[in-house]
Each structure stands twice: as C-alpha cells, then as structure tokens.
Amino acid sequence: MAFLRGAFLPLFLHIFLLNRSVWGKVELTMNDNLEVYLGDPAEIPCHYSFTGVNEEPSFVIIQWFVRSAGNGSRMRIFYSDVNQQIVDNNTDYSGRIEVTSDQRGNTLLIQNVQLSDEKEFFCQVNGQEAGNAERKTHLRVFAPPEAPEIEGVPNGISVTNTMPSKVASCEVRNGFPKPNITWYKDSEPLVPKVGQVNVIILVTREFRGFYSVQSTLEYRTLKEDKDSHFSCEVSFSVPGAIRTRMSQSINVTVHYPTTMMELWKDSPQGLVKEGDTVELRCQGDGNPPPIYIFSKEQEPDAPLESRGDVLILPSVTRKDSGIYQCRVLDSAGQTEVKEEVTLTVHYLDPAVVVPKDLEYMDKGENLVASCNALSSLKTVTIWYKEGKQVGYGNTLHLNDATYETSGQYVCEVTVPSLPSLHTNGSVHIIVQGGPQLAGVEDEIQLEEVAGRTLNLSCEARGHPLPSITWSITGSQNWQEVMSKANDHMTHSMVSVKINSDVSAVCNASNNQGTEVKVFSIKAIPRVTRTAPFSPVEGSGVIIVVIILCLLLLAFLGSVVYFLHKKGKIPCGRSGKQEITKEKPTKDDIVVEMKNNPKNEEAVLLKAVNGEKKGPNDQ
C-alpha cells in the first residue's frame, strides 16, 4: 500500500500542476546542440524563470528525459522536487549523471560520454500555478579517427591500359561521425571522371559504434605520371570545426615502352688507349628498362655479351676500334629503337733506338742516334742522360766525344694529348781512349810542415779502365789508404809522412796509353812559438791585480792610522818629512800571462827596476 501511495503521489501532483498552469508561464532556456569529445564530461544547462505570478512557486518539479534520434519514445532518467532528487535506476545513465541546481536553473552532468549518448535530452519544469515547460538539447559526440593509411599497388601500371586501373587504396579507422576521404595527385584534388578517375568507397560500422572508411582510387595513367605522387586526405568533424589529416604520398610504378635511347662511353674518361677496360652504357626511356642488345656494326647478327645496360670490353687493342650499336626489341622481336657510338683505341708502339743497347766511340768521334715509336697520335721525344735533358726530337747528335760523353742515353716518347701513353728506349755509349787524369796541371807544388802526414789523391778516366800506381821519393813512410773504381773512373789516395822534401808520381795506364801527375812537396821546419797574449784573458788579470792593490792600500792606510792613534808615529813636521823624504823604489808591478793547453791562467807578479814591459816583450 505504501508503494502505491509513493507511485501515485507524483502523478497526482503532475495532473494538479497541469490544471493550475494556466495561471502563469514558465520561461525555459536550453542550447539546441551540445558537442563534446568521446570520453569527456557533458554539461547540459537548463535555465528557467516564472512569469505571470506574484511570487516564485514554492513547489517545483524538474524531470530529465532522453530520446534516441528518430525514435518517438523517451525515457526518464532524473526526477527532483523540493523534497527529493532521484536518479532513475536501470538506465544507461544510472551512476553516470548528476544534476546540480542554482538560482537560474539546473545542469545535467554526464560523465564519460559514450557514442551511444548522442541523443536528445529533455528538461521539463513544472511550477504549480506558473504552469510547465519543456525544451531539449541534442548531444553530439565526436571521436577523431586514426591517421589515414595509404597503400599503392605492388605491380606497375601500364599506360597501354584503356580503362582506369587501381592505383592505391586509403583506409581510415575508428572515427565518429563518419569521416570522408579525398584523393590528390601532386597536391591537386582528383574528381571522379568517366574513363579517367573512379573512386570506390566502402563504409563499415563497428559494434562499438565507430566508422571505418576504405577508399580505392582507379586512375588511367600516362607516361607523365611516372614522377607523380598520390595521397589521400581524411576530413572529420570535431566540436565546432572540421579538421583534415593528410596521408603520406606515394609514387606508383608506371610501365611505358621505350621511345628514345642513348649510347655512350661511360669509362674511361677522355681518350682510350690500348690496355684500357672500356665500358659502353646504353639507356632508354622505357619502364621497366628493356633488354639491351649490343653488337658491332660490322657484325650486327653477332650479339656481344653484356651485363644489363653495360658492355664491358677488357684490355682493348686497336682492333677493337669501330662502331658499336645498342638495340631494343619490341614484343614481336623486331628492332624498336637503335643507337650507335664510335670507339677509337689509340696506341703507341715500343720505341726503337739506333744504335741500340751498347755503342763504342773513340775520343773525338761523332755519332747520330735516332729514336722512333709508331703512334696513332702526335708524339714528343726527349733525350735524357742521368736525369738531365740533353736533346729534343727523334735524333740526338754527339759530336767530338770525350769521356764525359760516356753514359746511358734514354729517349722518352710521350703523347701530349694522352699523357698516360708513353714509352722509352736507351743506348749505352762508351768512349774509348787512353787515361785522362783529373785536373789540368801535370805537376802540383805543395808545402807541408815536417812531421805531418799529407793525403794525395789521384783520379783517372779512360776505357779500358786505367790502373793507378804510385812512385814516391823522399819518404819511406807512406801507404795507399783508398782505392776504388767504377765503370768510368779509377780513384786512388795515398798517405805520406813528410819529414823532408818529397816527390810523388801518380801513374795511370791502360792499353791505350799512359799519363802521369807529379806532386812536389816542400817540407817546412817546425817552429815553436809562445802562445800570443789574449786581450780578453789579460784584461781579466789586470782587473784582479787592481782590486788586490786597492785592498793592499786600504790595509796599509788602516795600519798607519792605527799606529798614529797609538803614538807610534810622531806627529811633528819632521816625522812627516821623513815619511815623504823616503825615496820611493822604482819597482813596478808587472803581469805576465801564459796559455797552457788546459786553458788555465797563471799570474806572476815580479819587481822590475824602473821599467815596464809590454806583453810582447814578456
């Protein structure tokens, strides 16, 4: 019975208030729409006021209802009056809503908004004699989708297709409300066009209420599209705005036939010489790259083995010169495009020198040597001897040969336009003749102090190589300390002890003759001399002596002063006269300095009567 009273009492009050509503009017204010993000709280205000009444009603009933869009039935979720506030049980909003009141009205607060909350919410106010009123707010829920994912076709698209072909697909997931997809090519939107652009849309509604959209782009590609980039843009609604998000761009592979070709020498750079490895590269504008066929113009039906678009010719010779072709065949096996390039292999044959290897000449003789090398380019010939240039051109003239003419002559043949192409040849010249001693004098006059040792040197040139002998008179104490020879010269050195005048004869001889050189050495007697006085050392000694003298005078002055104070020396005039009348000695202080081998200084002080001696007299 109590339950029936509790149930019918609100209904009775509602009917009673409806009958009294003609006495006044309720002004109710609500937003038509409220937009919120999924998971955020939603606050739906309901403001009311009373008109046509003398005073505010003391008993007001407020109820909240909810209705799905397009559905005629609605359900109450909240009731309140001056005595109680009730959240209806067993609804989707039990435990998720709260109603707050103030002087202007009340506000419905929905926690953790879900996609299913996108409904119409009604606020009903009953104010007794002021009547009743009702308004609604449409709650809209937004969930931004994930980033769009674009995927191009794995295989290429041929321009020979007459109808649009699938280029890429774009998919966006978990959005609410349904997002839209727009296609772009090189930042320009693509509009569906019959025979050119076709877009297929697939929309999926998941059990949680989210939308997923998949869009497929079909496009008729042209050759110019090989560098184009395709992308898709998703647009979606958010509270109070529409936002967009662009996918990454992709480039699709476009297949098209070859219409132009190019054939060139890829390496080496510049001119080609024998021994080089040559690479010829062929490139066409078709995609995928076609199969290239290389051949020589003289043998078009004999394909050359290649590696894709490169023909490698290892260690080429002059026989490899000629015209090379690169061809592309169509699907029927016929030549579609052809290109040619001319290859020239340059050469330089080994240098030929006349005379070659070894050549003998007599002193005073003349010789003309030549150096030639066959080449496909202009050459330059330079002659060298011991690294120094001695000639220019194909011929070398050797006139009035001397022993200095002997040696190795090398001709260097180079190609200025191709520096890496060079060769050389050589000839060894030997000049024959009798010995020739170094120096222009046949007799050399020398002086040396007796008791010392003197080294005498003798060099001789000639071919055959001369031998050197020594004949020495005036000294028995001598020996040969060095003897050496090379292809051009013999060198000998003797060490002679000089005790008296010596005559040494150097004799150089071979089967072509003999030549001598005489050394006349005059012995000079040894003289013993005192070491000269050194001004630097003498000045140092003089300074020391002066200091000693000053110290001595100071000491004597002190003694005289001391004796005078003690009365030992008379103070009368006669005493002074005695002192002054004493005859001074004529002795002076003389300093003598001598140098010994150990650089020690000796100072000798001695008295010399009435005269001073200079350093030289000492």
Side-chain angles (χ1 to χ4, degrees), residues 9 19 75 97 109 233 271 301 308 325 331 353 362 370 414 494 497 528 536 558 560 603:
L9 178 60
N19 292 331
M75 176 178 60
I97 64 172
L109 174 64
E233 179 189 69
L271 300 176
D301 297 328
Q325 297 178 339
S331 56
V353 180
D362 293 331
S370 64
T414 59
V494 295
K497 184 69 175 290
T528 303
V536 176
S558 300
V560 172
V603 178

PDB file of all heavy atoms in Angstrom, residues 9 19 75 97 109 233 271 301 308 325 331 353 362 370 414 494 497 528 536 558 560 603:
ATOM      1  N   LEU A   9       1.504   9.521  -5.939  1.00  0.00           N
ATOM      2  CA  LEU A   9       1.599  10.900  -5.447  1.00  0.00           C
ATOM      3  C   LEU A   9       2.240  11.828  -6.473  1.00  0.00           C
ATOM      4  O   LEU A   9       1.701  12.903  -6.781  1.00  0.00           O
ATOM      5  CB  LEU A   9       2.380  10.920  -4.125  1.00  0.00           C
ATOM      6  CG  LEU A   9       2.580  12.323  -3.529  1.00  0.00           C
ATOM      7  CD1 LEU A   9       1.206  12.981  -3.236  1.00  0.00           C
ATOM      8  CD2 LEU A   9       3.409  12.231  -2.237  1.00  0.00           C
ATOM      9  N   ASN A  19      -3.270  21.421 -14.331  1.00  0.00           N
ATOM     10  CA  ASN A  19      -4.530  22.151 -14.280  1.00  0.00           C
ATOM     11  C   ASN A  19      -4.333  23.573 -13.804  1.00  0.00           C
ATOM     12  O   ASN A  19      -5.076  24.491 -14.143  1.00  0.00           O
ATOM     13  CB  ASN A  19      -5.519  21.438 -13.342  1.00  0.00           C
ATOM     14  CG  ASN A  19      -5.965  20.104 -13.929  1.00  0.00           C
ATOM     15  OD1 ASN A  19      -6.008  19.962 -15.145  1.00  0.00           O
ATOM     16  ND2 ASN A  19      -6.295  19.133 -13.055  1.00  0.00           N
ATOM     17  N   MET A  75      12.633   8.253 -22.374  1.00  0.00           N
ATOM     18  CA  MET A  75      12.770   7.589 -21.079  1.00  0.00           C
ATOM     19  C   MET A  75      13.262   8.622 -20.075  1.00  0.00           C
ATOM     20  O   MET A  75      14.165   9.420 -20.365  1.00  0.00           O
ATOM     21  CB  MET A  75      13.767   6.433 -21.198  1.00  0.00           C
ATOM     22  CG  MET A  75      14.037   5.741 -19.872  1.00  0.00           C
ATOM     23  SD  MET A  75      15.190   4.350 -20.097  1.00  0.00           S
ATOM     24  CE  MET A  75      16.609   5.212 -20.732  1.00  0.00           C
ATOM     25  N   ILE A  97      25.203  10.142 -14.150  1.00  0.00           N
ATOM     26  CA  ILE A  97      24.697  11.508 -14.253  1.00  0.00           C
ATOM     27  C   ILE A  97      24.573  12.118 -12.872  1.00  0.00           C
ATOM     28  O   ILE A  97      24.497  11.436 -11.853  1.00  0.00           O
ATOM     29  CB  ILE A  97      23.340  11.567 -14.993  1.00  0.00           C
ATOM     30  CG1 ILE A  97      22.272  10.803 -14.190  1.00  0.00           C
ATOM     31  CG2 ILE A  97      23.464  11.037 -16.402  1.00  0.00           C
ATOM     32  CD1 ILE A  97      20.874  10.987 -14.752  1.00  0.00           C
ATOM     33  N   LEU A 109      24.858  16.839 -15.661  1.00  0.00           N
ATOM     34  CA  LEU A 109      26.251  16.486 -15.910  1.00  0.00           C
ATOM     35  C   LEU A 109      26.350  14.996 -16.212  1.00  0.00           C
ATOM     36  O   LEU A 109      25.935  14.163 -15.382  1.00  0.00           O
ATOM     37  CB  LEU A 109      27.121  16.838 -14.701  1.00  0.00           C
ATOM     38  CG  LEU A 109      28.588  16.392 -14.783  1.00  0.00           C
ATOM     39  CD1 LEU A 109      29.299  17.099 -15.930  1.00  0.00           C
ATOM     40  CD2 LEU A 109      29.307  16.683 -13.460  1.00  0.00           C
ATOM     41  N   GLU A 233      43.370  12.407 -48.301  1.00  0.00           N
ATOM     42  CA  GLU A 233      43.106  13.298 -47.174  1.00  0.00           C
ATOM     43  C   GLU A 233      41.797  12.883 -46.528  1.00  0.00           C
ATOM     44  O   GLU A 233      40.794  12.684 -47.208  1.00  0.00           O
ATOM     45  CB  GLU A 233      43.027  14.741 -47.661  1.00  0.00           C
ATOM     46  CG  GLU A 233      42.726  15.748 -46.554  1.00  0.00           C
ATOM     47  CD  GLU A 233      42.446  17.120 -47.114  1.00  0.00           C
ATOM     48  OE1 GLU A 233      41.384  17.281 -47.767  1.00  0.00           O
ATOM     49  OE2 GLU A 233      43.272  18.030 -46.925  1.00  0.00           O
ATOM     50  N   LEU A 271      90.303  10.090 -73.863  1.00  0.00           N
ATOM     51  CA  LEU A 271      90.733   9.190 -74.922  1.00  0.00           C
ATOM     52  C   LEU A 271      91.008   7.791 -74.378  1.00  0.00           C
ATOM     53  O   LEU A 271      91.354   7.617 -73.215  1.00  0.00           O
ATOM     54  CB  LEU A 271      91.983   9.745 -75.609  1.00  0.00           C
ATOM     55  CG  LEU A 271      91.836  11.124 -76.273  1.00  0.00           C
ATOM     56  CD1 LEU A 271      93.178  11.603 -76.824  1.00  0.00           C
ATOM     57  CD2 LEU A 271      90.785  11.085 -77.377  1.00  0.00           C
ATOM     58  N   ASP A 301      74.616  -9.304 -86.458  1.00  0.00           N
ATOM     59  CA  ASP A 301      73.927 -10.526 -86.034  1.00  0.00           C
ATOM     60  C   ASP A 301      74.733 -11.314 -85.005  1.00  0.00           C
ATOM     61  O   ASP A 301      74.352 -12.454 -84.685  1.00  0.00           O
ATOM     62  CB  ASP A 301      73.645 -11.421 -87.254  1.00  0.00           C
ATOM     63  CG  ASP A 301      72.708 -10.740 -88.249  1.00  0.00           C
ATOM     64  OD1 ASP A 301      71.850  -9.952 -87.783  1.00  0.00           O
ATOM     65  OD2 ASP A 301      72.833 -10.989 -89.461  1.00  0.00           O
ATOM     66  N   GLY A 308      73.449  -6.378 -68.479  1.00  0.00           N
ATOM     67  CA  GLY A 308      72.324  -5.456 -68.467  1.00  0.00           C
ATOM     68  C   GLY A 308      72.513  -4.355 -69.480  1.00  0.00           C
ATOM     69  O   GLY A 308      72.581  -4.599 -70.692  1.00  0.00           O
ATOM     70  N   GLN A 325      76.731  -0.745 -81.605  1.00  0.00           N
ATOM     71  CA  GLN A 325      75.295  -0.490 -81.643  1.00  0.00           C
ATOM     72  C   GLN A 325      74.620  -1.055 -80.393  1.00  0.00           C
ATOM     73  O   GLN A 325      75.084  -2.042 -79.810  1.00  0.00           O
ATOM     74  CB  GLN A 325      74.657  -1.126 -82.889  1.00  0.00           C
ATOM     75  CG  GLN A 325      75.158  -0.566 -84.206  1.00  0.00           C
ATOM     76  CD  GLN A 325      74.525  -1.263 -85.398  1.00  0.00           C
ATOM     77  OE1 GLN A 325      74.028  -2.394 -85.277  1.00  0.00           O
ATOM     78  NE2 GLN A 325      74.533  -0.599 -86.546  1.00  0.00           N
ATOM     79  N   SER A 331      57.790  -6.436 -78.394  1.00  0.00           N
ATOM     80  CA  SER A 331      57.217  -7.734 -78.017  1.00  0.00           C
ATOM     81  C   SER A 331      57.205  -8.713 -79.180  1.00  0.00           C
ATOM     82  O   SER A 331      57.183  -9.935 -78.979  1.00  0.00           O
ATOM     83  CB  SER A 331      55.794  -7.535 -77.498  1.00  0.00           C
ATOM     84  OG  SER A 331      54.990  -6.866 -78.475  1.00  0.00           O
ATOM     85  N   VAL A 353     115.475   2.388 -80.830  1.00  0.00           N
ATOM     86  CA  VAL A 353     116.636   3.268 -80.767  1.00  0.00           C
ATOM     87  C   VAL A 353     117.744   2.689 -81.646  1.00  0.00           C
ATOM     88  O   VAL A 353     118.053   1.495 -81.576  1.00  0.00           O
ATOM     89  CB  VAL A 353     117.132   3.415 -79.312  1.00  0.00           C
ATOM     90  CG1 VAL A 353     118.352   4.331 -79.256  1.00  0.00           C
ATOM     91  CG2 VAL A 353     116.012   3.959 -78.436  1.00  0.00           C
ATOM     92  N   ASP A 362     135.334   6.334 -80.254  1.00  0.00           N
ATOM     93  CA  ASP A 362     136.675   6.803 -79.929  1.00  0.00           C
ATOM     94  C   ASP A 362     136.600   8.272 -79.548  1.00  0.00           C
ATOM     95  O   ASP A 362     135.690   9.008 -79.986  1.00  0.00           O
ATOM     96  CB  ASP A 362     137.613   6.621 -81.128  1.00  0.00           C
ATOM     97  CG  ASP A 362     137.860   5.145 -81.431  1.00  0.00           C
ATOM     98  OD1 ASP A 362     137.797   4.348 -80.451  1.00  0.00           O
ATOM     99  OD2 ASP A 362     138.068   4.806 -82.602  1.00  0.00           O
ATOM    100  N   SER A 370     119.074   7.796 -83.168  1.00  0.00           N
ATOM    101  CA  SER A 370     117.680   8.080 -83.503  1.00  0.00           C
ATOM    102  C   SER A 370     116.754   7.248 -82.614  1.00  0.00           C
ATOM    103  O   SER A 370     117.119   6.163 -82.150  1.00  0.00           O
ATOM    104  CB  SER A 370     117.386   7.768 -84.974  1.00  0.00           C
ATOM    105  OG  SER A 370     117.554   6.387 -85.225  1.00  0.00           O
ATOM    106  N   THR A 414     106.394  10.535 -75.532  1.00  0.00           N
ATOM    107  CA  THR A 414     105.099  10.769 -74.888  1.00  0.00           C
ATOM    108  C   THR A 414     104.094  11.292 -75.889  1.00  0.00           C
ATOM    109  O   THR A 414     104.449  11.782 -76.966  1.00  0.00           O
ATOM    110  CB  THR A 414     105.233  11.775 -73.728  1.00  0.00           C
ATOM    111  OG1 THR A 414     105.756  13.008 -74.248  1.00  0.00           O
ATOM    112  CG2 THR A 414     106.175  11.254 -72.653  1.00  0.00           C
ATOM    113  N   VAL A 494     146.882   8.129 -51.348  1.00  0.00           N
ATOM    114  CA  VAL A 494     147.982   7.657 -50.508  1.00  0.00           C
ATOM    115  C   VAL A 494     148.196   8.648 -49.378  1.00  0.00           C
ATOM    116  O   VAL A 494     147.890   9.841 -49.510  1.00  0.00           O
ATOM    117  CB  VAL A 494     149.280   7.491 -51.314  1.00  0.00           C
ATOM    118  CG1 VAL A 494     149.133   6.398 -52.361  1.00  0.00           C
ATOM    119  CG2 VAL A 494     149.693   8.807 -51.966  1.00  0.00           C
ATOM    120  N   LYS A 497     154.011  10.532 -44.911  1.00  0.00           N
ATOM    121  CA  LYS A 497     154.594  11.238 -43.758  1.00  0.00           C
ATOM    122  C   LYS A 497     155.710  12.135 -44.287  1.00  0.00           C
ATOM    123  O   LYS A 497     156.667  11.678 -44.925  1.00  0.00           O
ATOM    124  CB  LYS A 497     155.139  10.220 -42.756  1.00  0.00           C
ATOM    125  CG  LYS A 497     155.678  10.845 -41.467  1.00  0.00           C
ATOM    126  CD  LYS A 497     154.562  11.431 -40.633  1.00  0.00           C
ATOM    127  CE  LYS A 497     155.095  11.943 -39.287  1.00  0.00           C
ATOM    128  NZ  LYS A 497     155.505  10.844 -38.422  1.00  0.00           N
ATOM    129  N   THR A 528     158.575  26.493 -32.856  1.00  0.00           N
ATOM    130  CA  THR A 528     157.816  26.525 -31.606  1.00  0.00           C
ATOM    131  C   THR A 528     157.570  27.982 -31.232  1.00  0.00           C
ATOM    132  O   THR A 528     158.516  28.759 -31.109  1.00  0.00           O
ATOM    133  CB  THR A 528     158.578  25.820 -30.479  1.00  0.00           C
ATOM    134  OG1 THR A 528     158.855  24.475 -30.890  1.00  0.00           O
ATOM    135  CG2 THR A 528     157.748  25.828 -29.191  1.00  0.00           C
ATOM    136  N   VAL A 536     141.513  39.406 -23.955  1.00  0.00           N
ATOM    137  CA  VAL A 536     140.372  39.122 -23.073  1.00  0.00           C
ATOM    138  C   VAL A 536     140.855  38.578 -21.750  1.00  0.00           C
ATOM    139  O   VAL A 536     140.469  39.009 -20.662  1.00  0.00           O
ATOM    140  CB  VAL A 536     139.407  38.142 -23.765  1.00  0.00           C
ATOM    141  CG1 VAL A 536     138.290  37.765 -22.828  1.00  0.00           C
ATOM    142  CG2 VAL A 536     138.876  38.763 -25.045  1.00  0.00           C
ATOM    143  N   SER A 558     144.983  51.627   7.029  1.00  0.00           N
ATOM    144  CA  SER A 558     144.436  51.275   8.344  1.00  0.00           C
ATOM    145  C   SER A 558     145.550  51.116   9.359  1.00  0.00           C
ATOM    146  O   SER A 558     145.449  51.551  10.519  1.00  0.00           O
ATOM    147  CB  SER A 558     143.622  49.981   8.232  1.00  0.00           C
ATOM    148  OG  SER A 558     142.576  50.153   7.340  1.00  0.00           O
ATOM    149  N   VAL A 560     148.590  52.514   9.285  1.00  0.00           N
ATOM    150  CA  VAL A 560     149.175  53.833   9.608  1.00  0.00           C
ATOM    151  C   VAL A 560     148.290  54.588  10.567  1.00  0.00           C
ATOM    152  O   VAL A 560     148.723  55.207  11.535  1.00  0.00           O
ATOM    153  CB  VAL A 560     149.415  54.625   8.309  1.00  0.00           C
ATOM    154  CG1 VAL A 560     149.831  56.060   8.641  1.00  0.00           C
ATOM    155  CG2 VAL A 560     150.484  53.941   7.470  1.00  0.00           C
ATOM    156  N   VAL A 603     149.223  33.851 -12.956  1.00  0.00           N
ATOM    157  CA  VAL A 603     149.539  35.264 -12.739  1.00  0.00           C
ATOM    158  C   VAL A 603     150.865  35.343 -11.977  1.00  0.00           C
ATOM    159  O   VAL A 603     151.029  34.704 -10.929  1.00  0.00           O
ATOM    160  CB  VAL A 603     148.416  35.946 -11.942  1.00  0.00           C
ATOM    161  CG1 VAL A 603     148.761  37.399 -11.684  1.00  0.00           C
ATOM    162  CG2 VAL A 603     147.103  35.804 -12.690  1.00  0.00           C
TER     163      VAL A 603
END
